[in-house]
Amino acid sequence: MKNQKKDTAKRIVRMLGLAILSAGILTLSGCGKKSEAAREVAIAEGKALVEKGRGAVPACVACHGANGEGVEAAGYPRLAGLNSGYIEKQLKDLGRKLPPAGVVIESVAKDYSKTPRIYSDLTVFSPGLRHDEVMSSIAKKLSASDIHNVAAYYSSLPFQAKPVAADYEVLERGQDLALRGKPEYGLPACVSCHAPDGEGFGADFPPLAGQPAAYIVNQINKWQSGDRDNDNLGLMRAVADQLTDADKLNVAAYYANRSLTVKGK
Amino acid sequence: MTRLIYSLIALSGLIAQTGSATELQQGEVRPAAYDARANIPTGLTREKAIRQIPAINPGEYFVPPEVGDIPTSKYGDMVKLGRNIFIDTQHYAKRYVGNGLNCSNCHLQEGRKPFAGPLWAAYPMYPEFRNKTRDVVTYEKRVQDCFRFSMNGIAPTLDSPEIKAITAYSHWLSKGAPINKELPGRGFARLSKPRDPTPVNGEKLYKENCASCHGIDGKGQKFANRGGYMFPPLWGGDSFNHGAGMSSVKDCAQFTKANMPLGKGWTLTDMEAWDVCTYIWLQDRPWDPRFGWFFNIFTPPTGGN
């Protein structure tokens, strides 16, 4: 008798649990269906553009590899598995027209002590700039929706890094810079923003692992020369200004030597 | 209690902004947040920055030995364990940690960075008198306090491997440093305080300079595919508690001035560092465990995130 009661109680509990679980699954699958579908469409559109190009826009696969893995020898960056927000921002900045030389953008002065006005509405922030001989002209031809689609496609791709061999001492010095930076000169370690394995974090901090060494060196050169100017809070410029030529080569070799697996979404 | 009252007053907006900004001359306007080459968002132009940010000359600060030079011995193993605990406290000292932080979140670059509480400058100064406990404390006891307040956890016993390892790591980093001599770069920056700080300005500064990493809610940013924080929380249940050094506005401002935003130390003015830390100090965080029993009766516990 007691056992029977226990059994029915158990059954009721189990059925309730099942009901709750199935309801949860149903609501979850219902949620975000629309955005999921929109993303699928964007990925498909992006895939078409990446593989075939359109009119004056060449196919991305020509330089960035069939699966967005980049080209080691030429220093063309990998795009597979990058954050979609990051790709979008870079394409927009690459496509932006450079201001004519010598023009200084006057902005509203900030002095919080004089008046409690909200200055963020008035301050003129320069849009970030990024100039590249090849990519700038291509990015100018892309519409906003193209950029969105291409970013959605590339961020959905899986990626498997192929570590490039390098000299032991070079790797050791690169690792020292990557993990510890130069404390006595105030240069932070790469991992403090680009994540512990160099896999990147969010839309502001791109991955370093899996990128061709030549690409990393080129970009640091551009940060230093001012050809690239689109970092969050000027963080990367402050870092790049302190890197010697040897530092660039060591750290680029170190990150090209790292293994990395990104699961496709 | 005074803190509670003061924060209530401040939060209700009754604090008047005292004085005027002394960084600017009358009629002088702060330069743009943007100039063609150096976007230092604190209103410093590149020229100004070059004058204000101290240039560092080779040999100015003590240089600790390299990680590759850790000896292969029992001592070396202890040093390695200490380094592991230091940079990944969440994993290697799990038993004693009560929040989401690692030692190296504040003692930047594995405890090597001058003006970020470098271990090589701290270790040779102990035993020393501490005002906090009004007692002479050894280095080990000082590390215990880190666990209790900054890590919002439980102090390991003095003979625990964790304390031993951190002490060994500090000892190894201090190789060649003079004993009981104040080294340049010890602790944090020294600041002037031209006026009383205001959290109103602090909030603006926080949103502009800090929020993109530490989050607009100050709760830091977590990894998507692993445990722990990419950018540490500055307040909330996963941050240091009210008894930690970083919870005092002064310590926080001194740290911020020298080290934040990361890689751009010394770009905030002294007053900006005070302001932003006053804003951070007003936020919710776990109570000081020494007074916790009192507050916990009258206030709900801080929620984690």
Side-chain angles (χ1 to χ4, degrees), chain B residues 96-149:
Chain B
Y96 300 108
V97 172
N99 62 15
L101 301 180
N102 296 311
C103 305
S104 55
N105 285 144
C106 303
H107 303 269
L108 297 170
Q109 295 174 281
E110 304 189 0
R112 294 163 173 260
K113 189 176 183 297
F115 297 113
L119 299 183
W120 45 258
Y123 182 80
M125 297 303 288
Y126 282 83
E128 75 166 5
F129 176 80
R130 281 192 87 209
N131 211 11
K132 185 169 183 161
T133 48
R134 301 206 194 147
D135 196 3
V136 174
V137 293
T138 59
Y139 190 77
E140 289 84 349
K141 252 195 137 32
R142 179 71 187 77
V143 176
Q144 279 188 322
D145 275 9
C146 291
F147 277 101
R148 207 172 150 214
F149 301 109

Side-chain angles (χ1 to χ4, degrees), chain A residues 150-181:
Chain A
V150 167
Y153 170 65
Y154 272 126
S155 64
S156 72
L157 288 182
F159 175 73
Q160 180 86 44
K162 294 190 185 69
V164 180
D167 177 58
Y168 178 74
E169 277 191 7
V170 167
L171 290 179
E172 213 176 30
R173 287 188 192 134
Q175 186 186 46
D176 198 55
L177 205 62
L179 299 189
R180 281 170 289 281

